[in-house]
Amino acid sequence: MSQNDPRNAPRNDPSNDLQRIIDFRISFARRQAGEVREVPGGFLVLHRQYERSHEHNQLHITGPADPEGLPELADEVMAFLPHRRITVHDEALGLISVPALEQAGYTHVTEVLMVHTGPVPEAGAADVVERELGPDPHGLLRRAVTAQQWRWMPDADEKTVHDLVERRTARRAGAEEVLFLAAHDDSGEIVSWADLYLEPAAGVAQIEEVATAEPYLRRGYADSVLAGALRRAAAAGCALRFLVADQDDWPLRWYGRRGFRAVGRVHSFSRF
């Protein structure tokens, strides 16, 4: 293993961790896209198959950019889309972009990048297995995710819910290995789930969309899924394990109690 191998990166260097996370997220966005268009200061990802998924149809700003010009740039390159979504990966640039984008009608969300620094949990008795969203429309995981999506968005239309559920298929291309983890209750129903994106060559893993069906909240199922994801990431040689949490939402504190700490922030802007 060479000195420059990312797996040799010191684990006590938050700035190093932050850059590796940003690089991973940019690579993931590009690899899972149906189409990538280079634009000044970044790139646009598109996936016409999941057009209601803002994750898959958005503008990523990765380099120097004029904050005042971002609204015009988004209107130009996303003119054919009904929404606008911009992710600014540089924290300082994102902050100074807030006034111009809010004035243009965008809603601003600060996303916190959190690294796991606690011990990897021991295996427990809970049943946590990999379950892929395969072609079976009646699959247990698909059924559970769809039902919960309707609870979150009762006024949505069928196309929106379909795209938000089925977009996991696109995510399979985002990393070297992509797992969908699920916890079951005694009857075999899937009650909690999460995505796990593994890039062992880089030593990086992301845990994403940890969720529990509302009828099963506060029973420890999300803990089981999160612990299972951390164990699998560690077993794959991914020493840098991270996730993304909304700065203003309660999961930020929940993750903090489970060994995650903030190493940086990115800024997301949306307009409908």
Side-chain angles (χ1 to χ4, degrees), residues 66-72 86 93-107 269 271:
D66 172 20
E68 298 292 329
L70 287 181
E72 182 179 354
I86 307 171
L93 177 60
L95 276 174
I96 62 175
S97 300
V98 172
L101 286 165
E102 287 190 336
Q103 186 174 0
Y106 283 79
T107 299
F269 303 89
R271 194 182 75 196

Side-chain angles (χ1 to χ4, degrees), residues 68-176:
E68 298 292 329
L70 287 181
E72 182 179 354
L73 174 64
D75 284 343
E76 177 184 347
V77 302
M78 303 178 74
F80 52 90
L81 293 172
H83 71 271
R84 300 288 182 268
R85 172 71 177 267
I86 307 171
T87 295
V88 182
H89 292 272
D90 180 85
E91 182 172 356
L93 177 60
L95 276 174
I96 62 175
S97 300
V98 172
L101 286 165
E102 287 190 336
Q103 186 174 0
Y106 283 79
T107 299
H108 169 227
V109 173
T110 301
E111 298 176 330
V112 182
L113 307 175
M114 305 186 77
V115 169
H116 186 252
T117 58
V120 175
E122 297 290 336
D127 176 19
V128 180
V129 298
E130 298 89 5
R131 287 292 185 97
E132 290 198 355
L133 282 172
D136 175 12
H138 303 293
L140 288 176
L141 184 53
R142 176 181 278 104
R143 186 170 71 193
V145 173
T146 301
Q148 184 56 43
Q149 197 69 54
W150 280 116
R151 294 186 189 101
W152 285 329
M153 304 176 65
D155 298 324
D157 57 36
E158 293 278 353
K159 172 62 174 171
T160 297
V161 171
H162 172 273
D163 286 4
L164 295 180
V165 173
E166 298 301 328
R167 65 185 177 181
R168 282 171 174 77
T169 301
R171 290 176 182 165
R172 289 174 176 153
E176 183 176 334

Side-chain angles (χ1 to χ4, degrees), residues 14-31:
S15 63
N16 191 303
D17 285 349
L18 176 59
Q19 189 57 55
R20 292 170 66 200
I21 289 169
I22 292 171
D23 291 346
F24 178 93
R25 297 188 77 211
I26 291 171
S27 172
F28 194 94
R30 287 180 171 274
R31 289 167 65 173

Side-chain angles (χ1 to χ4, degrees), residues 123-131 140 180-193 220-229 231-232:
D127 176 19
V128 180
V129 298
E130 298 89 5
R131 287 292 185 97
L140 288 176
F180 304 114
L181 306 181
H184 304 250
D185 68 3
D186 293 339
S187 70
E189 286 294 317
I190 289 179
V191 297
S192 188
W193 54 88
Y221 288 119
D223 271 305
S224 297
V225 173
L226 180 62
R231 287 195 299 272
R232 283 165 174 77

Side-chain angles (χ1 to χ4, degrees), residues 34-93:
E35 179 184 353
V36 178
R37 299 181 184 178
E38 304 301 326
V39 303
F43 60 96
L44 176 70
V45 295
L46 300 169
H47 209 307
R48 302 304 177 91
Q49 189 173 352
Y50 309 108
E51 60 185 17
R52 302 291 179 86
S53 171
H54 295 183
E55 170 192 354
H56 293 93
N57 298 274
Q58 68 166 307
L59 179 60
H60 290 268
I61 300 300
T62 59
D66 172 20
E68 298 292 329
L70 287 181
E72 182 179 354
L73 174 64
D75 284 343
E76 177 184 347
V77 302
M78 303 178 74
F80 52 90
L81 293 172
H83 71 271
R84 300 288 182 268
R85 172 71 177 267
I86 307 171
T87 295
V88 182
H89 292 272
D90 180 85
E91 182 172 356
L93 177 60

